[in-house]
Amino acid sequence: MTRVLIVEDEERIAAFVQKGLRAGGFATTVAADGQTACDYARTGGFDLVILDIGLPDKDGFTVLRELREARLTVPVIVLTARDSVRDTVAGLEGGADDWMTKPFRFEELLARVRLRLRTAAHVPEITVLRSGGLSLDLRTRRARAGEKTVDLTAREFVLLELFLRHPGQVLSREQILSHVWGYDFDPGSNVVDVYVRALRRKLGAERVETVRGMGYRLP
């Protein structure tokens, strides 16, 4: 199983990222300060690091420098509230593989995690997801239901991708909200039901099942 080290001192964001990655099939560990992050990373037991810059004791720049000085080649995605060009350039030149600013959408972070892991492992990119009579082209962002081609909105695309990456698995409304709408979602919202209905209209009512009291499933 792919292991990701999440270096983040804000508990809410760390929990959100950890929950989303675990739902995506990753094993995760959280470090809340720079020294702990360095200690974990030096074990060599991680395939990727998600790194905040504003950490207690050692900041993210220091952590990144120490990892690269130790010749650790693990991919590092910086996830930070700092959005200046100067900071971004410093991070990338310091050895970061990618840079994302907060606030962020989980689906974008997940896409970048998968890209960096594929690049590191030289794995060919998956461009089409399939399940039953459904397919989703990740490049053109179009779906096919049987012989019918379907155009999707950006949010419908992310929702269908989530279902296709977990065929047969029941996904709760909370899981879907967290993945598709981000960590600032309203847990009382009915937006998931609205978008599931939209997918059913476009793909066919039988494509997404309601599991009463639990959530939704792609059969």
Side-chain angles (χ1 to χ4, degrees), residues 131-150:
S131 179
L134 277 180
S135 66
L136 182 66
D137 190 312
L138 301 179
R139 290 181 172 173
T140 65
R141 303 178 78 84
R142 285 183 175 173
R144 288 186 67 84
E147 297 302 314
K148 181 175 69 172
T149 300
V150 180

Side-chain angles (χ1 to χ4, degrees), residues 27-114:
T28 60
T29 300
V30 174
D33 62 78
Q35 185 58 56
T36 302
C38 287
D39 292 342
Y40 275 135
R42 287 193 182 102
T43 67
F46 294 92
D47 302 288
L48 183 136
V49 177
I50 296 173
L51 177 65
D52 185 23
I53 294 298
L55 298 169
D57 62 53
K58 297 180 181 180
D59 68 11
F61 289 121
T62 302
V63 172
L64 184 59
R65 186 184 70 249
E66 291 188 6
L67 296 187
R68 295 318 186 209
E69 287 177 350
R71 300 187 181 278
L72 292 173
T73 59
V74 60
V76 175
I77 298 175
V78 172
L79 182 62
T80 178
R82 300 191 189 187
D83 59 359
S84 73
V85 173
R86 180 179 179 181
D87 282 335
T88 304
V89 170
L92 294 174
E93 290 187 344
D97 297 271
D98 207 343
W99 184 284
M100 281 188 69
T101 56
K102 303 172 185 174
F104 64 99
R105 294 296 181 188
F106 182 78
E107 64 267 21
E108 181 183 355
L109 175 61
L110 183 60
R112 294 190 188 211
V113 166
R114 287 177 173 147

Side-chain angles (χ1 to χ4, degrees), residues 175-197:
Q175 285 177 300
I176 296 170
L177 278 168
S178 175
H179 182 91
V180 179
W181 279 270
Y183 59 91
D184 288 327
F185 68 83
D186 175 6
S189 171
N190 71 336
V191 69
V192 171
D193 310 275
V194 171
Y195 273 83
V196 167
R197 285 197 295 270

